[in-house]
Amino acid sequence: MEEVILSVNLVWVMLGTILVFFMHAGFAMVEAGFTRSKNAVNIIMKNFITISLGGIVYFLCGYAIMFGDTAGGFLGTSGFALNGVEDIGFFIFQAMFAATGATILSGAVAERTNIMAYIGVVVLMTLFVYPVVGHWIWSGSGWLTDLGFVDFAGSTVVHLTGAVAAFVAAAMIGPRLGKYGDGKVNVIKGHSIPLGALGVFILWLGWFGFNGASTLAADPATVPGVIANTFFAAAAGVVATAFYTKFRYGHIDGSLTLNGALAGLVGITAGAANVSIIGAICIGIIAAPLLVEGVRFIEWKLKVDDPVGAIAVHGICGIWGTLAVGLFDIGGQGLFYGGGISLLGVQAIGVLATIAWVSVTVTGGLFLIKLFVPLRVSKEEEIAGLDVMEHGTPAYEYQEIFKSSALRNESFAQRLTHIGKPQSVQEEHVS
């Protein structure tokens, strides 16, 4: 019977691993859909490289720093290249999480980042930045664990860490051409909301494994509640964002409502095993205005260009989800359940420590990367699109027709000028 239970638990965690891996398809579709068609191949390549290279780096060093024998509760010091590690199932599950934390950067710095610089950040994240935060919280011997910090599946460990790195990178790399000018913030629309919607559905599906398998066992007393909370927080995020944007802008905004699902999912991730369904719905509802106003604040006030809203979704809602545990925890520690403010205070300390650590390390890492490769592509490359300039191929057939036929007799410089024009102008040339 014990062997059967172990096998069932292993199958559950491996199913979760597969679902979290599949989430990277969701990230690729969301980012590609919410950005312009001339950069779709670049988005896809970044997501493939993140899961592949990030997984290898995490195997060599990241896992050891995250789960090895602790050095003062700060980082691990053993298990490099899995030396002495027996539980391969737990490792591969965690490797999917590590890549997820890194890939949050991809959308926030889309359409203008040198892919080699991006690869450098992925290595930095999976090698050191993310594993140290993970050691503090998930290793069982980290200093935040000792304080009683709660983050069931990663609102802080994965999402806030990735979002802070994305904010620093987007700020240092600078906005896309044409985003800001004459005192205005210009909307640069994505090329396919249906593609983005497909990505959100994939992410929502994958999140059942992301949160559900974080139980690390097929526990009938815990898993159903975790998955129910995951669903209802996302559903509440969608509904609340739809109504909030209707009130705020006079219409139900498509891209923000899609991000509303992700906002609810990020928000519930820290407390998926610690709150009731009512608490999960409340977390999703509150995540909606935080998302909408967060996107506006980051773009309009801070002047940080985030094409897909990743910083607001994963950062602001990650902070909210982490703090929400201190409010809605039903195990006796939540403020709304008579637990006082002790846990809320510990959650706030963890949030601040993570923001400080990631900000310093990613800023330093980007300055180091900048010594070897530029952080962003040239103006001409950005106008032409990263698909052609960095990967040698467009994402869609009409782009190939446009290049080879409509502009057959024009110089390369003229082609760059035309390719950089808005979509409607491109279609006019094709016709």
Side-chain angles (χ1 to χ4, degrees), residues 108-419:
V109 299
E111 302 200 294
R112 77 274 199 192
T113 303
N114 184 325
I115 193 168
M116 297 309 296
Y118 173 79
I119 290 172
V121 178
V122 169
V123 172
L124 176 68
M125 288 292 293
T126 52
L127 175 71
F128 191 61
V129 177
Y130 168 84
V132 167
V133 177
H135 187 82
W136 295 353
I137 299 169
W138 282 349
S139 68
S141 52
W143 68 274
L144 280 175
T145 302
D146 293 340
L147 290 179
F149 185 85
V150 176
D151 186 4
F152 176 70
S155 287
T156 288
V157 176
V158 179
H159 298 286
L160 180 58
T161 297
V164 174
F167 178 84
V168 172
M172 289 183 64
I173 292 168
R176 291 167 291 175
L177 297 174
K179 180 64 179 179
Y180 301 102
D182 299 326
K184 298 179 180 179
V185 180
N186 300 309
V187 176
I188 302 177
K189 294 183 179 180
H191 82 281
S192 178
I193 293 297
L195 198 62
L198 174 62
V200 171
F201 271 119
I202 292 173
L203 286 170
W204 196 339
L205 171 65
W207 230 290
F208 293 134
F210 195 94
N211 287 353
S214 290
T215 58
L216 302 180
D219 182 1
T222 306
V223 171
V226 168
I227 292 181
N229 286 341
T230 301
F231 169 76
F232 281 107
V238 169
V239 174
T241 305
F243 281 101
Y244 189 80
T245 55
K246 177 67 174 177
F247 168 78
R248 186 76 162 81
Y249 302 116
H251 61 270
I252 296 176
D253 187 278
S255 61
L256 284 173
T257 301
L258 291 173
N259 266 335
L262 303 182
L265 290 165
V266 171
I268 195 58
T269 296
N274 300 75
V275 306
S276 67
I277 290 178
I278 295 296
I281 292 173
C282 291
I283 289 171
I285 290 173
I286 296 172
L290 291 175
L291 163 70
V292 175
E293 299 304 328
V295 167
R296 185 175 179 84
F297 178 76
I298 290 166
E299 286 197 348
W300 289 70
K301 300 298 183 182
L302 301 183
K303 295 292 191 295
V304 174
D305 182 16
D306 177 2
V308 303
I311 298 168
V313 168
H314 299 277
I316 293 175
C317 296
I319 292 171
W320 159 237
T322 302
L323 297 178
V325 179
L327 301 174
F328 293 99
D329 178 78
I330 60 176
Q333 297 187 81
L335 178 63
F336 296 158
Y337 292 83
I341 64 170
S342 177
L343 178 58
L344 185 61
V346 171
Q347 298 296 95
I349 291 172
V351 165
L352 293 174
T354 299
I355 292 173
W357 165 255
V358 179
S359 298
V360 171
T361 51
V362 173
T363 299
L366 284 169
F367 274 114
L368 182 62
I369 291 169
K370 194 175 180 180
L371 297 176
F372 300 94
V373 294
L375 296 183
R376 66 182 296 156
V377 298
S378 67
K379 179 179 179 180
E380 292 76 16
E381 289 174 316
E382 184 175 344
I383 291 172
L386 304 187
D387 289 359
V388 174
M389 301 308 295
E390 291 213 312
H391 307 287
T393 182
Y396 300 101
E397 184 179 4
Y398 77 84
Q399 293 171 318
E400 187 66 44
I401 295 171
F402 171 68
K403 283 200 310 168
S404 61
S405 300
L407 301 178
R408 182 181 296 117
N409 297 319
E410 297 190 31
S411 68
F412 181 70
Q414 289 173 315
R415 294 186 185 195
L416 294 184
T417 302
H418 284 301
I419 293 173

